[in-house]
Amino acid sequence: MKKFLFFILFCLITTPCFAEFTITVSKTNLKEGEGFKVYLRQQDKKEDIDLTKFNDDFHIISQGTSQNITNINGNIKRVYETILTLVPKRTGKIEIPAIYTKTQHTKPVLITVSPATDSVQSENGETKTLFFVKSSINKKNPVVSEQLVYTVKLYLTLDSALIDGMIVPPQSEGAFVEAFGDATHYQEQYKGQAYNVYEHKFLVFPQRAGKVVLSAPTFKGAISDPESFEQNNVDALFGYSNPFSQIFGQKEVVLKAQEITLDVAESKYIPAYKVDVEETISPQNADDTYYTGDAITRTITIQASGVHSGALPEINFAPLKDFKQYPGQSNTQELTDNRGIVGVKTKQIVFIPTNAGALTLPELKIDWLDIKTGKVKQAVLPAKSIRVLSKEPVEEKTDVSTTEQTKTTDITLPKSILEMEGPISAKKMLAYGAGVGFLIALFLFGLVLFIKKQYEKMKNREKIPNIKTACAFGNTKKIAEILLLKTKKQFPDKNIQTLTDIKGLYDSAEFDEQIDLLNEALYSSTQHLFDGKDFYKIYKKIKPKKVKAEKKSLLPPLYPM
């Protein structure tokens, strides 16, 4: 009998049991998206734990370790703990399988995950809404490029608080999404219950017609949970309790709102809340009187609420018989107001009158779609009447008598030094030699300066990269940089700042069209295809446009100061 008891005791001591490596979960009934904690405890012996078993059905949000040592009457016990925060990947009954170390393993644990709703079942059986996320959009049937406002709200009961977290915005292959403004916090009634609401807004710009699906935005973070007592229960296992655990209890959550489908239509007009066009004229003469050959600079600005600047039309005028036109500087920028984005495009166009009389600077009309009313409207920059006076050229008069006298008068050349009468003194000879030597030295000094200047010019000459390589790879940014460098070098007298300034300098309409395509590929909010190989084929054939010579007195500088 004693031998049998000794054998049983020996087995208990030497055989691993579940008590030495255990698993505890904070709760077994969960809501979809709700996190919970898993505590893996090893006693007296710490071994590596295989956590890969969790990856199939759970997101591992966080991981930590702790160690507890107790000494009771010289009996030292060590407990090693691995703490995981998990969020289920699906609903239904999910089994946490046995978790293994090298010599031990835990028992499986079964949890139940219910579908996400606006409410959860509290422990006393009452239905209480604790937290949820909702999304909405101001319009589901927009047109291409129309600005939409997408709102995501996180709802928390008043006895809960947001500890940490972030909103993952909706994603879509057929729309461009960007954050708008700062998050706001306020209280709101929902189904008869008061909530703390954390609101985030995004701007959505559809990029193609048809069905466009916006994925469900997601909140990932941690909120306080006054009904969460798992930390208290865990502490009790170690022989002490934390009196603040009820106040600072928290739970990690991954909450998803609903996805939204848009039905997008085509539109040949700019969709906007408002479009304004204005201009400034320089020089601004009080009586609107100018002279032929004067440079009149019109700086025109388009400002559209709810439109990206890349979607705004180009500012151009048809050729005029009484004016020459020169494109000037242009730029774009993005502003914001309380409704969203405000696109701004500015361009300078120089008009030079070639005829005198009562002339008119042309008007500019822009058709746009009012997204509030659905009606097509027109923004108009009115024409401007000016009076142009003729600036007569000044002809240089020539004195005929003087010219004739110059032709008929005999010119007496000075005698050479050898033919001069009288002996030349040594003092004069020395003076002549010094003068000649000074002239030679001055010539050599100037020659040295000229050579040095040419050497520095060649040394500092800017090396322009090969545009052929950039075109072969379709690198639109590099193509634009090289093109600007080459054109500035070829036309040093032109004020070339943008690609638009290059248009009209070469004898190829196809090349001007390629400049427009390159501009669209660089600056438009929509995706434009640009073929670098086609661009290079046209680029190789271009030649500077021949300009008829004009009298300098008739044309002032293109950009007068």
Side-chain angles (χ1 to χ4, degrees), residues 28-284:
T28 56
N29 292 303
L30 305 170
K31 173 187 173 183
E32 182 183 7
E34 182 179 357
F36 68 104
K37 284 186 169 55
V38 174
Y39 303 91
L40 299 169
R41 297 185 183 88
Q42 301 177 74
Q43 185 172 325
D44 294 330
K45 184 179 181 181
K46 184 178 181 181
E47 295 180 337
D48 292 337
I49 304 173
D50 181 11
L51 302 178
T52 58
K53 296 290 186 179
F54 292 106
N55 293 335
D56 293 338
D57 295 314
F58 302 93
H59 299 284
I60 300 178
I61 303 300
S62 64
Q63 177 179 340
T65 59
S66 66
Q67 179 179 346
N68 185 54
I69 303 175
T70 59
N71 187 343
I72 303 176
N73 297 326
N75 184 15
I76 300 176
K77 291 185 178 181
R78 291 180 173 85
V79 176
Y80 304 95
E81 184 176 56
T82 299
I83 306 171
L84 305 175
T85 301
L86 306 180
V87 174
K89 293 182 178 179
R90 58 184 176 85
T91 59
K93 293 187 180 296
I94 304 176
E95 181 183 78
I96 300 176
I99 306 300
Y100 285 81
T101 65
K102 185 177 181 180
T103 62
Q104 301 170 327
H105 63 86
T106 65
K107 291 181 178 180
V109 177
L110 187 65
I111 65 170
T112 302
V113 183
S114 59
T117 60
D118 290 353
S119 61
V120 296
Q121 197 76 12
S122 62
E123 294 183 358
N124 60 9
E126 296 179 355
T127 300
K128 183 179 181 181
T129 307
L130 295 179
F131 49 82
F132 56 93
V133 174
K134 282 191 170 295
S135 62
S136 62
I137 199 164
N138 66 324
K139 193 175 184 180
K140 291 187 177 181
N141 54 343
V143 298
V144 175
S145 297
E146 179 177 344
Q147 174 189 280
L148 306 175
V149 180
Y150 194 108
T151 304
V152 182
K153 294 182 179 181
L154 170 64
Y155 288 80
L156 300 176
T157 54
L158 298 184
D159 54 357
S160 299
L162 178 63
I163 296 175
D164 190 16
M166 62 176 292
I167 294 288
V168 180
Q171 304 293 326
S172 177
E173 295 182 356
F176 175 70
V177 182
E178 64 180 74
F180 173 52
D182 299 323
T184 58
H185 172 225
Y186 54 90
Q187 290 188 2
E188 182 180 303
Q189 290 285 330
Y190 182 77
K191 293 185 178 180
Q193 190 169 340
Y195 290 92
N196 282 313
V197 180
Y198 298 86
E199 181 180 282
H200 296 255
K201 287 189 177 182
F202 302 90
L203 299 180
V204 178
F205 298 88
Q207 300 300 297
R208 59 175 173 79
K211 299 292 183 182
V212 174
V213 179
L214 301 172
S215 66
T218 305
F219 170 76
K220 295 181 179 180
I223 61 175
S224 69
D225 182 14
E227 296 183 356
S228 177
F229 303 108
E230 63 268 17
Q231 185 62 46
N232 232 359
N233 297 333
V234 170
D235 294 341
L237 296 176
F238 292 103
Y240 64 91
S241 62
N242 181 356
F244 299 103
S245 62
Q246 295 184 25
I247 301 175
F248 297 104
Q250 71 177 56
K251 62 173 64 178
E252 284 72 18
V253 294
V254 177
L255 305 175
K256 282 190 175 183
Q258 67 274 21
E259 70 176 25
I260 294 176
T261 301
L262 305 177
D263 189 5
V264 186
E266 290 281 5
S267 176
K268 61 180 181 179
Y269 304 108
I270 305 168
Y273 290 107
K274 185 181 181 183
V275 177
D276 292 316
V277 187
E278 58 183 21
E279 74 170 346
T280 58
I281 296 180
S282 177
Q284 181 63 65

Side-chain angles (χ1 to χ4, degrees), residues 271-479:
Y273 290 107
K274 185 181 181 183
V275 177
D276 292 316
V277 187
E278 58 183 21
E279 74 170 346
T280 58
I281 296 180
S282 177
Q284 181 63 65
N285 295 345
D287 53 357
D288 293 328
T289 300
Y290 300 88
Y291 290 89
T292 54
D294 283 353
I296 306 171
T297 302
R298 302 179 78 184
T299 302
I300 301 171
T301 300
I302 303 175
Q303 182 168 301
S305 178
V307 181
H308 267 285
S309 60
L312 296 177
E314 283 297 322
I315 303 174
N316 293 312
F317 293 94
L320 302 171
K321 67 175 183 177
D322 295 322
F323 293 95
K324 289 185 178 180
Q325 295 183 52
Y326 298 89
Q329 297 181 3
S330 62
N331 63 72
T332 59
Q333 61 177 323
E334 312 294 341
L335 306 176
T336 57
D337 60 13
N338 59 346
R339 289 183 295 195
I341 201 78
V342 178
V344 180
K345 176 174 285 188
T346 302
K347 184 175 181 179
Q348 291 181 338
I349 300 179
V350 179
F351 290 81
I352 299 180
T354 56
N355 296 317
L359 305 182
T360 301
L361 295 173
E363 67 178 3
L364 178 66
K365 295 181 178 180
I366 299 175
D367 294 326
W368 61 283
L369 177 66
D370 189 337
I371 59 179
K372 293 181 296 185
T373 63
K375 296 181 179 179
V376 177
K377 296 184 178 180
Q378 194 173 68
V380 179
L381 177 69
K384 184 175 179 61
S385 299
I386 61 174
R387 187 163 65 106
V388 179
L389 304 178
S390 178
K391 184 186 290 184
E392 296 294 339
V394 179
E395 296 183 0
E396 296 181 359
K397 296 182 180 180
T398 305
D399 191 343
V400 179
S401 60
T402 303
T403 303
E404 292 178 353
Q405 184 178 359
T406 302
K407 291 181 179 179
T408 56
T409 303
D410 292 333
I411 299 176
T412 304
L413 298 176
K415 296 181 179 180
S416 65
I417 295 176
L418 296 177
E419 293 176 340
M420 290 183 180
E421 296 180 357
I424 301 175
S425 64
K427 188 175 181 180
K428 287 185 177 181
M429 185 66 72
L430 183 62
Y432 290 144
V436 172
F438 175 76
L439 292 175
I440 294 174
L442 187 63
F443 171 76
L444 292 175
F445 179 73
L447 182 61
V448 170
L449 289 180
F450 174 77
I451 294 173
K452 183 178 180 182
K453 185 175 180 181
Q454 293 299 317
Y455 173 76
E456 292 294 333
K457 186 175 181 181
M458 293 177 62
K459 183 179 179 181
N460 297 327
R461 182 177 296 171
E462 182 179 16
K463 294 183 178 180
I464 301 177
N466 190 353
I467 195 172
K468 183 178 180 180
T469 303
C471 291
F473 287 96
N475 189 338
T476 54
K477 185 176 180 181
K478 200 67 178 177
I479 294 172

